[in-house]
Structure formats: structure tokens, C-alpha cells
Amino acid sequence: MRRLAFRAVVLLVVLPALRAESTKRARARALVARYVREHASRTDDVAARVRRDPCGARFVSADFWGKGLANSANVALNALALAVVSNRTLLVSDDNRFRAGFWRYLGAVDETWPTKKRVLEAFDAAGGCARCGGCVDAFPEATRDFFPVNRRCLASGNCGDGVRWLLCGAAFSDDDPPFVHVRSAVTWLAPLLLENARAGPQLKERLKTLFAPGVNAWGLLYDALLAPRAGAALDAVVEPRRPEGGLFDVGVHVRHRRYQPRERVDAHAAACAARALAGLAKATVFLATDQPSRLGGLRKRIRAAAPDTAIDFRSLNASSVPEAERERLRKLARTDVKAVRAGRDWGELASERWASVADFLLLSSSRVVVGTLSSSFSELAAAVASRRDGDAPPRRDFAAAPR
């Protein structure tokens, strides 16, 4: 009798909690879906509406480029999150660097969202500043630059002006310009707007809905940001490498930073992978790393750490891709040769930008993602992979020995 009573109590407590989690996720999904229905439009249509009524809408734009894949995506994701909660239309900043960036591989965002240049021109042609106000020195756009942003910048007072605007400025108030441009927001910053005492109640309510505990907000935003056939440019490379059923049992991403001892990084990664493989008799594992020359050693370490699991390792061997296909992919987006020569820490395939996107698409097609702590690439892949788990956010488990 005691055991039955105990189980009844557990069910009474747990089931309402599960229902509450499900309700939160449903509300967040509905918020994002409604936003996409109301704001995702062709550039021509948005420009035409602005010419007719320049005061009828306000906008958030972003730099759709960055130093690395996930950093580039995060700037756009922060802008979309801010656009959703402020109910402004997202614009793609269609400059030359966007045309040369990862979006040529990751997803044609300008097929879903209007581009900024044409909309700005329409606003100017309609006399928007004179008719609508909010412009600064007769210019309708304010750039909110978040660089630098780190744990020390608030104490030292050297944060980018975007951080101060987000935390204590007139963010998305009537005093903000019609166009707000987000730059260098390479980490997930949008929820910090909740700490702004000047933020309006409706804006805060949307923030609480989108970023409610138990909601995989960044996975939802990623889906909303990209065109339905995201990553199609890489199908010829990615699809043959997927396992039967389409999902890897475990995906492992190892980021080798220049200031860290690589042997220790690999040993820690193997220990974490072994935890994910515990209890599996056999598993298909995808390995992604910025140092492909270390893949052989990583395989040996993981096998040694998980001796009870028969592992089928998969990885992207860029050199095995036919040269004609590699050349086609290189031409889709230019490599930032200047940055590569300056020694950017992008790994051994820095000049093959498509390879990091292919790694990302395959890594995020895993039931479990084992990533590198503080790597935005790992975090974003985990959020995207977690979309299959009822929009639950990725779990964090740092139980293995520290690096």
C-alpha cells in the first residue's frame, strides 16, 4: 500500500509539471509561428507597403556575417529574437559580406525575409523621417554594436553600446529609431532585455513566453530564420554520410583552441563521449573537429573509453569530396582570405567554409550532441538537434573531469 501511495503522489506531482512544460512550449511555438505569418515577406511587398505608409512598421536588421559559422548565425538569431518580442519586421542586411558568408550554404534567408537596402530606400523615398519621426540626424537607423561583450565588460565599463542599450536603454521604445541594426551579438543575449526596467509590459510578456524555462527558444528561432530547404546546397556532400534512419546516435564536436593542450582536450572529449555511449551495445557516432588530422586519435580514445560499445564512426573527409564539387562549393561563398592569413583560429579547413557547414548539419542530426564548453558551434548544434525532443532545450551535463 505504501508503495502504491508513493507512486500516486509522484504521478500527481510529475504529470501537472509535464503539462505545464508542454503548455509553455506550445505558447512559444505559437508566438514564433504568428510572427512568421505576419512578418516574413518578399522584399518587393515590404518595400511597397513602406512607400504607401512609412510609419506603419518598424524594423530590426542584423549583420548576416561573422568570423565563424555559429557566431554569424547567432547575430541573426539575436536579431530575430528581438524582432519577435518587439513585433518589428526582421530585415536581412544584404551587403557584400552577407553575399560572401555562410548563408550561401546554411540557408537562403533572403528567400524568407526582406532585405534591408530596398526597404530603407523605400522609407527614404516616402519621406519617412519627416513623417514618422524617430530619426537621428535625419537618418532612420541606429546600429547597436555589442562588441566587446564578456563577463568583465560591465565591471570595466567597456561593453559595446548595444549591451547598455539592451540592459538599461530605451530599447524598442517609441524613442528608438524606426530601424535598429544589431551587430556583433555573437552570444545568446536577447533574454537580457528582461533586466531592462524601461522595457514595456507587452515586450516583457513576449520575452517570458519565448524564453520560458523548458523552451528550446534558439531551436525555434533557427527554424523560423531559414528557408524550408536550408542546407540544400550541401545535399551532395551531407546526405550520403547520414546513417540509415537519418540520425547519428551520438554527435561529438571537439574545438581545439590554440591556448589549450590538445591531448587534454581530446582525453576530456573521449570521457564525455563515453558517458553518452553508456548502455549502448552499438552506436553510430559522428565526429566533427576543426583539426581533422586529430580524428584518428579521437577515435582510438573514444573506443578505449567506451569498450562495451561497438562504434561505427563517421566524419566528413573533405579531401574525399571530388575536386569539381569542392570547387563548386567554394564559389558559392568567398573565403575571408585576409582573416585566414591573419591567423584566425578556424582550424585546418579555414579556406573551405562549406566544410564547417556540412559538419554542423551532420552534427545537429544526432540524438545526443557532446560539445565543447563555451563553443557557440556546439551550443547551436545542440539546440538544433533538440528540436526533435518536443522543443525541449538541450540538457547540460558537466560531470566529466574539467579540461
Side-chain angles (χ1 to χ4, degrees), residues 373-403:
L373 184 62
S374 78
S375 164
S376 54
F377 189 101
S378 292
E379 289 173 348
L380 184 58
V384 173
S386 293
R387 294 172 303 170
R388 290 179 296 274
D389 191 20
D391 294 327
R395 292 185 296 106
R396 292 172 177 265
D397 184 356
F398 304 130
R403 285 179 284 125

Coordinates of all heavy atoms in Angstrom, one line a residue, residues 373-403:
L373 N 32.6 22.9 -24.2 CA 32.1 24.0 -23.4 C 32.5 25.4 -23.9 O 33.7 25.6 -24.3 CB 32.6 23.8 -21.9 CG 32.1 24.8 -20.9 CD1 30.6 24.7 -20.7 CD2 32.8 24.5 -19.6
S374 N 31.5 26.3 -24.0 CA 31.7 27.7 -24.4 C 31.9 27.8 -25.9 O 32.3 28.9 -26.4 CB 32.8 28.4 -23.7 OG 34.1 28.0 -24.2
S375 N 31.7 26.7 -26.7 CA 31.8 26.8 -28.1 C 30.4 27.1 -28.7 O 29.5 26.3 -28.4 CB 32.3 25.5 -28.7 OG 32.0 25.4 -30.1
S376 N 30.2 28.2 -29.4 CA 28.9 28.6 -29.9 C 28.5 27.6 -31.0 O 27.3 27.3 -31.2 CB 29.0 30.0 -30.5 OG 30.0 30.2 -31.4
F377 N 29.5 27.0 -31.7 CA 29.2 25.9 -32.7 C 28.5 24.7 -32.0 O 27.4 24.2 -32.4 CB 30.5 25.5 -33.3 CG 30.4 24.6 -34.5 CD1 30.5 25.1 -35.8 CD2 30.1 23.2 -34.4 CE1 30.4 24.2 -36.9 CE2 30.0 22.4 -35.4 CZ 30.1 22.9 -36.7
S378 N 29.0 24.3 -30.9 CA 28.4 23.2 -30.1 C 27.1 23.5 -29.6 O 26.1 22.7 -29.7 CB 29.4 22.8 -28.9 OG 30.6 22.2 -29.4
E379 N 26.9 24.7 -29.0 CA 25.7 25.1 -28.4 C 24.6 25.2 -29.5 O 23.4 24.8 -29.2 CB 25.9 26.5 -27.7 CG 26.7 26.5 -26.5 CD 27.0 27.9 -25.9 OE1 26.7 28.8 -26.7 OE2 27.5 28.0 -24.8
L380 N 24.9 25.8 -30.6 CA 23.9 25.9 -31.7 C 23.5 24.5 -32.2 O 22.3 24.2 -32.4 CB 24.4 26.8 -32.8 CG 23.3 27.1 -33.9 CD1 22.1 27.8 -33.3 CD2 24.0 28.0 -34.9
A381 N 24.5 23.7 -32.4 CA 24.2 22.3 -32.9 C 23.3 21.6 -31.9 O 22.4 20.8 -32.3 CB 25.5 21.5 -33.1
A382 N 23.5 21.7 -30.6 CA 22.7 21.0 -29.6 C 21.3 21.6 -29.6 O 20.3 20.8 -29.5 CB 23.4 21.2 -28.2
A383 N 21.1 22.9 -29.8 CA 19.8 23.5 -29.8 C 19.0 23.0 -31.0 O 17.8 22.7 -31.0 CB 19.9 25.0 -29.8
V384 N 19.7 22.9 -32.2 CA 19.1 22.4 -33.4 C 18.7 21.0 -33.3 O 17.6 20.5 -33.6 CB 20.0 22.7 -34.6 CG1 19.4 22.1 -35.9 CG2 20.2 24.2 -34.8
A385 N 19.6 20.2 -32.7 CA 19.3 18.7 -32.5 C 18.2 18.5 -31.6 O 17.4 17.6 -31.8 CB 20.6 18.0 -32.0
S386 N 18.0 19.4 -30.6 CA 17.0 19.2 -29.6 C 15.6 19.5 -30.1 O 14.6 19.2 -29.4 CB 17.3 20.1 -28.4 OG 18.5 19.6 -27.7
R387 N 15.5 20.1 -31.3 CA 14.1 20.3 -31.8 C 13.3 19.1 -31.9 O 12.1 19.1 -31.9 CB 14.3 20.9 -33.2 CG 14.9 22.3 -33.3 CD 15.2 22.7 -34.7 NE 16.0 21.7 -35.4 CZ 16.2 21.7 -36.7 NH1 15.6 22.6 -37.4 NH2 16.9 20.8 -37.3
R388 N 14.0 17.9 -32.1 CA 13.2 16.7 -32.3 C 12.7 16.2 -30.9 O 11.9 15.2 -30.9 CB 14.1 15.6 -32.9 CG 14.5 15.8 -34.3 CD 15.4 14.7 -34.8 NE 16.7 14.8 -34.2 CZ 17.7 15.5 -34.5 NH1 17.6 16.3 -35.6 NH2 18.8 15.5 -33.9
D389 N 13.1 16.8 -29.8 CA 12.7 16.3 -28.5 C 11.5 17.2 -28.0 O 11.6 17.7 -26.8 CB 13.9 16.4 -27.5 CG 13.6 15.7 -26.2 OD1 12.7 14.9 -26.2 OD2 14.3 15.9 -25.2
G390 N 10.5 17.4 -28.8 CA 9.4 18.2 -28.4 C 9.7 19.6 -28.0 O 9.1 20.2 -27.1
D391 N 10.7 20.2 -28.7 CA 11.1 21.6 -28.4 C 11.7 21.8 -27.0 O 11.8 22.9 -26.5 CB 10.0 22.6 -28.6 CG 9.5 22.7 -30.1 OD1 10.4 22.5 -30.9 OD2 8.3 22.9 -30.3
A392 N 12.2 20.7 -26.4 CA 12.9 20.8 -25.1 C 14.3 21.4 -25.4 O 14.9 21.1 -26.4 CB 13.0 19.5 -24.5
P393 N 14.8 22.2 -24.5 CA 16.1 22.8 -24.6 C 17.2 21.7 -24.4 O 16.9 20.7 -23.7 CB 16.2 23.8 -23.5 CG 15.2 23.4 -22.5 CD 14.1 22.7 -23.2
P394 N 18.4 21.8 -24.9 CA 19.4 20.8 -24.7 C 19.8 20.8 -23.2 O 19.8 21.8 -22.5 CB 20.6 21.3 -25.5 CG 20.3 22.7 -25.9 CD 18.8 22.9 -25.8
R395 N 20.0 19.6 -22.6 CA 20.5 19.5 -21.3 C 22.0 19.7 -21.2 O 22.7 19.4 -22.1 CB 20.2 18.1 -20.7 CG 18.7 17.8 -20.5 CD 18.5 16.4 -19.9 NE 19.0 15.3 -20.7 CZ 20.1 14.6 -20.5 NH1 20.8 14.9 -19.5 NH2 20.5 13.7 -21.3
R396 N 22.4 20.3 -20.1 CA 23.8 20.5 -19.8 C 24.3 19.6 -18.8 O 23.7 19.5 -17.7 CB 24.1 22.0 -19.4 CG 23.8 22.9 -20.5 CD 23.9 24.4 -20.0 NE 23.7 25.3 -21.1 CZ 24.6 25.9 -21.8 NH1 25.9 25.6 -21.5 NH2 24.4 26.7 -22.8
D397 N 25.4 18.9 -19.0 CA 26.0 17.9 -18.1 C 27.5 18.1 -18.1 O 28.1 17.7 -19.1 CB 25.6 16.5 -18.5 CG 26.0 15.5 -17.4 OD1 26.7 15.9 -16.5 OD2 25.7 14.3 -17.6
F398 N 28.0 18.6 -17.0 CA 29.4 18.9 -17.0 C 30.1 17.9 -16.0 O 31.1 18.3 -15.3 CB 29.7 20.3 -16.6 CG 29.1 21.4 -17.4 CD1 28.3 22.4 -16.9 CD2 29.2 21.3 -18.8 CE1 27.7 23.3 -17.7 CE2 28.6 22.2 -19.6 CZ 27.8 23.2 -19.1
A399 N 29.6 16.7 -15.9 CA 30.1 15.8 -14.8 C 31.5 15.2 -15.1 O 32.1 14.8 -14.2 CB 29.1 14.7 -14.6
A400 N 31.9 15.2 -16.4 CA 33.2 14.7 -16.7 C 34.3 15.6 -16.1 O 34.0 16.8 -15.8 CB 33.4 14.5 -18.2
A401 N 35.5 15.1 -16.0 CA 36.6 15.9 -15.5 C 36.8 17.1 -16.3 O 36.7 17.1 -17.5 CB 37.9 15.1 -15.5
P402 N 37.1 18.3 -15.7 CA 37.3 19.6 -16.4 C 38.5 19.5 -17.3 O 39.4 18.8 -17.0 CB 37.4 20.6 -15.3 CG 37.9 19.8 -14.1 CD 37.3 18.5 -14.2
R403 N 38.4 20.4 -18.4 CA 39.5 20.4 -19.3 C 40.7 21.2 -18.6 O 40.5 22.1 -17.8 CB 39.1 21.2 -20.5 CG 38.3 20.4 -21.5 CD 37.9 21.1 -22.7 NE 36.8 22.1 -22.4 CZ 36.9 23.4 -22.6 NH1 38.0 23.9 -23.2 NH2 36.0 24.2 -22.4

